[in-house]
Amino acid sequence: MFNIKYNFLVVTQIIFGLLNTILFLKFFGVSSNTDAYFIALSMIAFIQLFYVLPIEQFMFFYIEKKKLNLQNANQFLKKTFYTIFVYSFFLTLFIYLFSEFISSLFVSNDKYILLENINEYIEYFLIGTLFFPINYLFDFLKLDVEGAELNVLYG
């Protein structure tokens, strides 16, 4: 239904998206830098799927443990949090060390300037990628606290 608060938020989101696009085009323009940025962004989005895999598995086990015993579920959550952080740290380190090889899988080697720019952008994106799994886990836990959504999805 019509809710002025949500409509205002949607309009604000559209304005910020438009402003973001205008500033992006003003800063980069149409160039190989723009291509490198979007390719690097696509690569990071693809790689983040590997970050999500253990968390998706965690969700099923956590819900089952929570049904049986909340304290055991919380212990499982603590162990999972540390495991996911270590996993994401080593995966991010691997991507950082082998970023040239990984980016060459997405772009042919004859585009050396483009590969150089992609590797530069990947370094910037990896900072946020390191904490992506933890953020994803907290989003899951937020859904769990809010209730009904998880029962429909996983239970």
Side-chain angles (χ1 to χ4, degrees):
M1 294 247 218
F2 183 76
N3 188 334
I4 191 75
K5 180 172 71 170
Y6 294 120
N7 288 335
F8 177 74
L9 289 174
V10 168
V11 169
T12 304
Q13 180 183 7
I14 291 170
I15 291 171
F16 278 122
L18 182 62
L19 183 63
N20 180 40
T21 303
I22 290 170
L23 290 175
F24 184 83
L25 288 174
K26 182 159 179 67
F27 180 72
F28 284 115
V30 177
S31 66
S32 64
N33 281 339
T34 307
D35 293 342
Y37 175 84
F38 284 121
I39 291 171
L41 194 60
S42 299
M43 288 171 52
I44 291 296
F46 173 74
I47 289 169
Q48 283 178 342
L49 293 174
F50 293 103
Y51 286 85
V52 171
L53 287 173
I55 300 170
E56 290 291 331
Q57 292 300 313
F58 157 79
M59 290 177 186
F60 293 107
F61 293 118
Y62 175 74
I63 290 170
E64 291 299 317
K65 287 185 179 287
K66 190 174 178 183
K67 287 178 185 175
L68 298 174
N69 186 341
L70 183 61
Q71 188 175 7
N72 286 346
N74 288 337
Q75 288 295 326
F76 181 68
L77 172 64
K78 185 192 281 187
K79 289 177 186 174
T80 302
F81 179 81
Y82 292 124
T83 304
I84 287 173
F85 185 76
V86 169
Y87 169 76
S88 65
F89 175 78
F90 283 113
L91 187 57
T92 303
L93 182 64
F94 176 81
I95 293 166
Y96 177 76
L97 293 175
F98 297 104
S99 64
E100 290 180 15
F101 172 73
I102 293 170
S103 57
S104 70
L105 295 174
F106 288 84
V107 177
S108 63
N109 288 332
D110 62 334
K111 310 241 187 272
Y112 181 74
I113 295 173
L114 188 62
L115 281 171
E116 195 174 282
N117 290 340
I118 290 172
N119 291 329
E120 182 181 336
Y121 290 126
I122 285 177
E123 290 178 11
Y124 295 123
F125 290 145
L126 280 179
I127 295 167
T129 303
L130 176 63
F131 297 103
F132 173 77
I134 303 300
N135 186 37
Y136 192 82
L137 179 64
F138 284 148
D139 281 346
F140 162 72
L141 293 173
K142 179 180 170 267
L143 273 177
D144 186 39
V145 169
E146 290 174 355
E149 292 91 349
L150 280 182
N151 293 331
V152 170
L153 295 174
Y154 297 105

